[in-house]
Amino acid sequence: MRRSVGKKMLMFLVVIIAFQDVAAGVAGSIMADIINAYPDYDPTIVMMVATFPGLIQIIPALFYGKLSNRFKKRTLLFTGLTLFIIGGTLPTFIDSLPLIIAARGILGLGVGITMPLSIDIITDFFEGREKDFLIGFGTSTVACIGAIFFQLGGGMLADAFGWQYGFLTYLFPIWILAVTILYLPEPEKKEHAHTASLEGQKKVKMPKAVYWTVLAQVFYSALIFGYVTNISVVIQMDNLGSATEAGMAISVFTFGTLLAGFVFGRFKHMLPRMYMPVGILMTGIGMAICYVSPNLTLIFIGSIIGGAGMGIGLPGIFARVSDLTPAAVTSAGVGLVVAAQGVGGIMGPFGFQVVQNIFNQGIGRFPLAVSAIGLILLAIVWVVSGTRAPKQDLEVTLN
């Protein structure tokens, strides 16, 4: 029997699904210990413990639209969270590095289901400003709180008991699984649109603007990589601080994203056609400030500005795709955005390496400059070509 829930409880249930969206970062906080534990393996191979989930999440994300048409959302949620918990905790009990990487692939499969689902289920139950608020609050605020929890929790367990115990933090989402399975109702909103399209023999196309938005997501995710991997190098190489200060800079960036998530809905309402380029531009300005910064204070300022920009840009892309797509293909559109995010994360290291080789530059400040320039150019391109209002009804054609 379906349980009835109030509106506020429903809001809580749909946003907590995003808690583990970026939880794969646990491996990053204990990567040095993992590398030391496997001295016979090249560090690049060991780093796949952190990067492999992002690669694997692309697969289910690409097919999320078909999965959501075939299976109930609650079934997908149960499957995704179960894969996440099993794949996340298995490395605690495994000594073989290849098997650990394989287990991380299972976690990636789970994330590839739950990440688009966390957006899709919001669009099932909510519309307008409520939808925008929940997308921003979920993808930025709740996801960042989850990232901080998993990184700190994993690091504390690793320091106290050994690096493998850090993976036990992946047991935490069991409560999310239990609460959502017990109380989250099965969405019905899109079924009517899908049924109507079948009865009328209509063919619902994915708007072309969605593909351009997805392409922008690839570049946006790739360019942010310049900050994530180089800010600690800048701080320590330029003697601006230690690893502790480097960690603080990344935390400040995350905090900026978290704060922006609270106001994303209002920001989108104030700038309905410009919120995306403004968010991307803010991210680029933050990178530029970090690039020129002579001291730690300015790096913190640049980090919080860049993080706030990402707190607008990341949910902004999801919100724009949900606005652009007819209800029958919203799930597929959201899945494409998640896949694009994974592709961008994979392209980032290779793209920066190519640019660094062309200009004969190393790691540190130069990648921050590349990120800043790339993001500012992306914002300009978006202003020129991407500020038109969504036109959903024009994308439904008759056979």
Side-chain angles (χ1 to χ4, degrees), residues 237-255:
M237 285 183 60
D238 292 359
N239 295 318
L240 301 179
S242 63
T244 300
E245 283 74 23
M248 288 177 62
I250 295 174
S251 297
V252 167
F253 185 93
T254 304
F255 185 67

Side-chain angles (χ1 to χ4, degrees), residues 2 44 61 100 116-118 144 149 261 272 300 319 324 347 356 395:
R2 178 175 297 172
T44 304
I100 288 175
L117 178 64
S118 67
C144 283
F149 168 81
F300 286 165
L324 287 168
M347 283 179 52
Q356 287 167 211
E395 303 303 332

Side-chain angles (χ1 to χ4, degrees), residues 38-380:
Y38 295 97
D40 295 334
Y41 286 89
D42 186 284
T44 304
I45 300 298
V46 181
M47 287 181 185
M48 289 183 68
V49 174
T51 59
F52 196 55
L55 173 64
I56 297 300
Q57 79 178 45
I58 297 172
I59 299 171
L62 282 174
F63 297 100
Y64 176 76
K66 292 184 178 180
L67 290 172
S68 65
N69 287 334
R70 184 167 183 177
F71 300 102
K72 292 182 177 181
K73 299 293 174 66
R74 283 164 53 87
T75 301
L76 290 176
L77 177 62
F78 178 81
T79 303
L81 283 175
T82 301
L83 290 171
F84 178 91
I85 293 167
I86 293 173
T89 55
L90 271 179
T92 307
F93 313 102
I94 298 173
D95 292 324
S96 168
L97 180 63
L99 290 179
I100 288 175
I101 293 173
R104 298 286 289 173
I106 296 174
L107 179 140
L109 289 174
V111 173
I113 296 173
T114 60
M115 186 179 288
L117 178 64
S118 67
I119 303 296
D120 189 27
I121 208 160
I122 290 173
T123 65
D124 281 330
F125 288 114
F126 298 95
E127 295 180 341
R129 295 183 69 173
E130 284 184 336
K131 181 195 72 173
D132 293 336
F133 168 75
L134 291 172
I135 288 177
F137 187 71
T139 59
S140 292
T141 305
V142 175
C144 283
I145 292 172
I148 293 170
F149 168 81
F150 282 106
Q151 289 173 2
L152 290 178
M156 291 170 65
L157 286 174
D159 288 340
F161 305 106
W163 65 268
Q164 285 180 294
Y165 289 90
F167 292 100
L168 286 178
T169 52
Y170 288 112
L171 289 173
F172 186 79
I174 287 177
W175 76 271
I176 298 176
L177 177 62
V179 170
T180 51
I181 291 300
L182 284 173
Y183 297 103
L184 183 66
E186 179 65 28
E188 297 180 348
K189 188 174 178 181
K190 292 181 183 177
E191 293 177 4
H192 175 73
H194 182 64
T195 303
S197 67
L198 291 177
E199 290 176 352
Q201 294 185 337
K202 296 178 181 179
K203 183 179 180 181
V204 182
K205 292 183 178 180
M206 185 74 72
K208 292 182 180 179
V210 170
Y211 296 110
W212 288 112
T213 304
V214 168
L215 182 62
Q217 170 73 324
V218 172
F219 286 105
Y220 188 55
S221 299
L223 288 167
I224 290 174
F225 180 86
Y227 175 89
V228 175
T229 55
N230 287 278
I231 193 65
S232 62
V233 176
V234 170
I235 290 173
Q236 295 184 66
M237 285 183 60
D238 292 359
N239 295 318
L240 301 179
S242 63
T244 300
E245 283 74 23
M248 288 177 62
I250 295 174
S251 297
V252 167
F253 185 93
T254 304
F255 185 67
T257 304
L258 186 153
L259 289 179
F262 279 107
V263 299
F264 168 75
R266 183 174 297 180
F267 189 86
K268 180 176 181 286
H269 179 73
M270 291 172 56
L271 299 171
R273 299 190 182 186
M274 292 294 293
Y275 65 95
M276 271 307 305
V278 170
I280 295 171
L281 181 63
M282 284 177 61
T283 313
I285 290 173
M287 303 292 179
I289 293 173
C290 290
Y291 169 69
V292 301
S293 59
N295 54 59
L296 198 59
T297 301
L298 208 54
I299 282 183
F300 286 165
I301 293 173
S303 295
I304 199 166
I305 292 173
M310 194 175 85
I312 296 169
L314 184 57
I317 290 176
F318 284 110
R320 178 166 174 79
V321 167
S322 70
D323 289 342
L324 287 168
T325 52
V329 292
T330 297
S331 299
V334 170
L336 288 176
V337 174
V338 174
Q341 187 173 330
V343 171
I346 294 168
M347 283 179 52
F350 299 103
F352 277 95
Q353 189 62 55
V354 169
V355 176
Q356 287 167 211
N357 290 341
I358 292 174
F359 291 95
N360 195 27
Q361 298 288 328
I363 60 175
R365 291 188 182 268
F366 180 76
L368 290 174
V370 174
S371 288
I373 294 171
L375 288 165
I376 292 170
L377 289 176
L378 181 60
I380 293 171

Side-chain angles (χ1 to χ4, degrees), residues 387-399:
T387 55
R388 291 180 299 173
K391 297 181 180 180
Q392 295 181 8
D393 295 339
L394 297 181
E395 303 303 332
V396 180
T397 59
L398 298 176
N399 285 334

